[in-house]
Each structure stands twice: as structure tokens, then as C-alpha cells.
Amino acid sequence: MNTTARLAGFGGVLAVLAAGGFAVGTAAGPVSSAAGTGTGAMPGHATMATADDLPGGLASSRNGYTFTVADPTPEPGRFAFTITGPDGKRVTAYDTEHEKKLHLIVVRRDTAGFRHVHPDLAPDGTWSVPLTLPAAGSYRAFADFAPTGGPPMTLGADFSVAGDYRPATHAPSRTAHVDGYTVELAGDLTAGKTSPLTLTVRRDGVPVTDLQPYLGAYGHLVALREGDLAYLHVHPEGEPGDGRTAAGPQVAFAAEVPSAGTYRLFLDFRHGGVVRTAEFTVTTA
């Protein structure tokens, strides 16, 4: 089954269908990011709001659940938060999705400093994770989870890092370089049409054909719409070892963008025991 998701709001909808290998990522091992990963869905599905609701990540509360950051100006080293349920109590029971009970994505409002980590849950319902962000500014955190007995969802909340803020800009880019790897994005996002996207991973010019599974798959894609940071996390069909999913060098997706806009794409892939993130900036035709 292909992955379909819709981003509705501010006049735009983003639907992404996954057609290749995939991995969620970044916290269970060494992580590095190219200059500049929520699940809440079964494999082959993307976590997004319905058309009559806000897109994923734009609201801090939904379906009676609320995402609250413990400190809106956290000190470096620790980031903590809670999820409260319809009864007003902290949620302590979560379904495991892609080997984790919750996926946390953190990015600055200008889409710099992307992080995808997996926090720990304390018995009292407090989530925490070691987190030090390198630059000052306003950040958005996305909690992607499925409470036991409740619907999967993605909630968002803002926080700030003190210091000298220097905004980042992102020119259109289709090639990312990270740790000797080059990842190239082929294909165009065309409003109103399904557009194939292929990401090819090479190391020192040699195609990588032994990508490693991470959280149950080979490649992971997060899309954030510039401006409102509407969030999409895609899970492609197939799993490592199923005979249909290749371990590289290509990771394929098909994207349908019914409205014009600029999107930041973040691809996580694992090789040599390290999860790396390749970043792209794509404007629709």
C-alpha cells in the first residue's frame, strides 16, 4: 500500500506517498547532520491530520491530548515535556511505533538545527532527553506518538534558546553533503500532480548498496512547509529482508503537492552504524 498524507491549511495541501525503503531516525547511536527526524502510523502510512482538521504539528492540543514543554527556555543538556490526556492526567501508556513509544523532532523556526531524537519516559509521565542546541532562536518541537487506547497524532509546541540569534536562509538545493556522503534528489514537486522523487546515496562517489535498517526500515523522510512548519512524516511500504526493499543506493518516494510552496525535506539514512541527515529545499514548479 502506498503512503498518502495531506497537509491542509493556509491554502496548501501536501500529500506524500512512499514507494521505497525507509528508516526513522536519529537517537540510538552517533548522529551527524548535513549543513543546515513522528511516527504514530503503521508502516506504509504517514501521520497527518484529516482534511477538516489542522495539519500535524500545528496545534499543541488535539483529541483531548496536550503537549507541554516543561521549560519554555530550557537550559542546555536536558529537554523535558509531558503529554496530558482527556482526563487531565499525564499519559504514561503509549503504543510502540517503529520500535519507539514517542518520536521527538526539534527544529528552529527557520528550519535550521533539525533533530530527531527518542526521549525516555519516567513513571510520573515526564519525557526527557539530553539535548543541546547549537544556536539561539525560536524552536518548534513535534511529539509524534500514539497513546494506548487513543488515536495516533503529532502535536507541536514552541520554546526558545537564549543567545545571539542569526537567522538562516535556505536556497533551493537538491544535493546534500554529509561526512563524505553525497545524497542527490531527483524529481520535481509539481502542484496538482503526483511527482516521483528519488534520493541516491553515494560515499566518495561510490553508490551505497548496504544501507542499514534503523527502527525497522532503510530511509526516513520528514517534510516541513516553510512558514507554518506543517509537519509530515512518511513511512514507505516494505521492510528490510522482505525481498522487495533494496538497501540502496536509491530511496524512492512519490509526492503530490496540490498547491505551490517551498518545502524543507529531511532524509535520514543509516550506514556504518551512524544515522545521518541530508537536507533539501524544494520549491514547487
Side-chain angles (χ1 to χ4, degrees):
M1 180 185 335
N2 286 333
T3 300
T4 304
R6 296 191 179 276
L7 279 174
F10 292 6
V13 178
L14 173 63
V16 176
L17 302 131
F22 162 75
V24 183
T26 77
V31 177
S32 59
S33 176
T37 79
T39 51
M42 296 301 292
H45 296 263
T47 301
M48 289 304 303
T50 58
D52 60 353
D53 202 354
L54 286 174
L58 291 187
S60 60
S61 296
R62 175 175 291 165
N63 301 316
Y65 294 87
T66 300
F67 172 31
T68 304
V69 174
D71 184 352
T73 56
E75 294 294 327
R78 182 178 184 269
F79 183 79
F81 60 93
T82 58
I83 306 292
T84 54
D87 59 1
K89 298 180 180 179
R90 293 179 181 178
V91 179
T92 57
Y94 296 81
D95 294 338
T96 298
E97 300 286 348
H98 299 278
E99 303 180 7
K100 298 294 180 180
K101 293 184 179 295
L102 186 144
H103 299 261
L104 181 72
I105 285 79
V106 174
V107 67
R108 203 166 68 175
R109 277 266 173 196
D110 57 9
T111 69
F114 178 88
R115 298 287 188 275
H116 181 164
V117 296
H118 301 104
D120 295 320
L121 178 62
D124 69 353
T126 299
W127 290 95
S128 63
V129 63
L131 184 67
T132 298
L133 297 166
S138 177
Y139 283 79
R140 187 72 170 171
F142 301 91
D144 194 346
F145 62 96
T148 299
M153 68 190 78
T154 302
L155 302 178
D158 288 332
F159 67 96
S160 298
V161 174
D164 181 16
Y165 171 60
R166 299 183 181 183
T169 58
H170 308 283
S173 60
R174 293 179 171 273
T175 302
H177 301 280
V178 53
D179 295 346
Y181 294 81
T182 299
V183 184
E184 295 183 348
L185 171 64
D188 295 318
L189 289 177
T190 303
K193 296 183 179 180
T194 299
S195 306
L197 301 178
T198 302
L199 295 110
T200 303
V201 183
R202 296 184 175 88
R203 184 180 186 184
D204 299 326
V206 178
V208 175
T209 58
D210 58 345
L211 292 173
Q212 297 170 314
Y214 185 65
L215 300 178
Y218 286 127
H220 160 71
L221 183 68
V222 163
L224 296 174
R225 187 170 56 203
E226 285 196 342
D228 62 356
L229 297 188
Y231 168 93
L232 175 65
H233 183 172
V234 181
H235 302 276
E237 65 181 25
E239 298 179 358
D242 65 4
R244 298 181 295 115
T245 305
Q250 295 181 333
V251 181
F253 300 87
E256 182 181 348
V257 187
S259 63
T262 298
Y263 301 90
R264 289 276 285 157
L265 306 180
F266 300 88
L267 176 75
D268 288 345
F269 64 97
R270 186 180 188 182
H271 190 248
V274 180
V275 177
R276 298 173 173 87
T277 304
E279 304 180 8
F280 308 90
T281 305
V282 180
T283 300
T284 57

